[in-house]
Structures are given as structure tokens and as C-alpha cells.
Amino acid sequence: MGLLRGMMGHASEVDTEKLAEEFAPLLCDGETVVVGYRLVRDLMVFTDRRLLLVDIQGATGLKKDYQTIPYASIHRFSKESTGVMDLEAELKLWIRGQHEPIVKLFKNN
């Protein structure tokens, strides 16, 4: 069911300890992982200093695109859902110097 949810566009939360271990080479001294979400193979990792986006490409998953966004670079954001109790949401982040927002979907879980 987890794979099916991922294929349908559902983001699922990832264990922060596993993320901290995996991203240890990329983290600054004293930086900690706060929360992370996986969408099929891609990752969104929120630390106490920045947002890390990982786009895993290709059939083998060997090619990875890492994007780091310091929170100070986020000009604005929006969260859209159909109601207060709705678990489906769309997160949009506008980054300084970019005209189009980064869009991530969170559905059901």
C-alpha cells in the first residue's frame, strides 16, 4: 500500500534519525534534521537552517539532484487545502530570484 500511495502522489514522513545519518555529509556543524518527507523516491528534508530537496532521477536512481534552500531565501509560501481537517495540501515556495514557485503535494497521510 505504501508504494501505491507514493505512486499516487502521496508524501510520507521519513524517520529523522535515518535522514540525519543519510545526510550527515551534507549537514553543517550543529545542523539538525527537523522533519522529512518522501514522494516515491524524491525527498524534502527540513533542517533547523534550510530546506533540502532531492530529485532522484533515472531508472536506477543513481543520478540525484540536490537543491538546498536557506530559509532566508524563501520570499513567501502558501499552503492550500480544502479545509481545516483536510489532510491533502499543496505547498508553494517562492524563492528570491525565481519567478515560479516550487510546488510540492501532500495527500491523505
Side-chain angles (χ1 to χ4, degrees):
M1 189 69 167
L3 177 61
L4 181 59
R5 282 178 171 263
M7 291 173 66
M8 296 304 291
H10 296 66
S12 57
E13 196 166 340
V14 182
D15 184 347
T16 55
E17 289 180 17
K18 290 180 182 177
L19 288 173
E21 186 178 313
E22 180 180 345
F23 285 87
L26 299 175
L27 298 177
C28 299
D29 290 337
E31 185 176 17
T32 58
V33 173
V34 177
V35 68
Y37 298 96
R38 180 176 305 278
L39 177 62
V40 184
R41 297 186 301 176
D42 296 346
L43 287 167
M44 289 179 56
V45 179
F46 294 86
T47 74
D48 58 344
R49 300 181 188 181
R50 60 189 165 149
L51 170 61
L52 294 161
L53 300 175
V54 183
D55 179 16
I56 300 174
Q57 304 168 358
T60 62
L62 294 176
K63 184 176 179 183
K64 297 178 183 179
D65 177 43
Y66 291 87
Q67 185 176 15
T68 180
I69 304 168
Y71 292 132
S73 295
I74 298 174
H75 184 255
R76 68 180 191 206
F77 73 93
S78 73
K79 179 255 185 191
E80 182 179 324
S81 67
T82 58
V84 177
M85 297 302 290
D86 184 24
L87 297 178
E88 295 186 7
E90 179 179 81
L91 175 66
K92 292 182 182 178
L93 300 170
W94 282 267
I95 310 302
R96 293 189 200 285
Q98 293 184 357
H99 295 290
E100 296 298 319
I102 296 172
V103 179
K104 298 294 179 182
L105 301 175
F106 295 83
K107 294 187 179 185
N108 291 338
N109 61 347

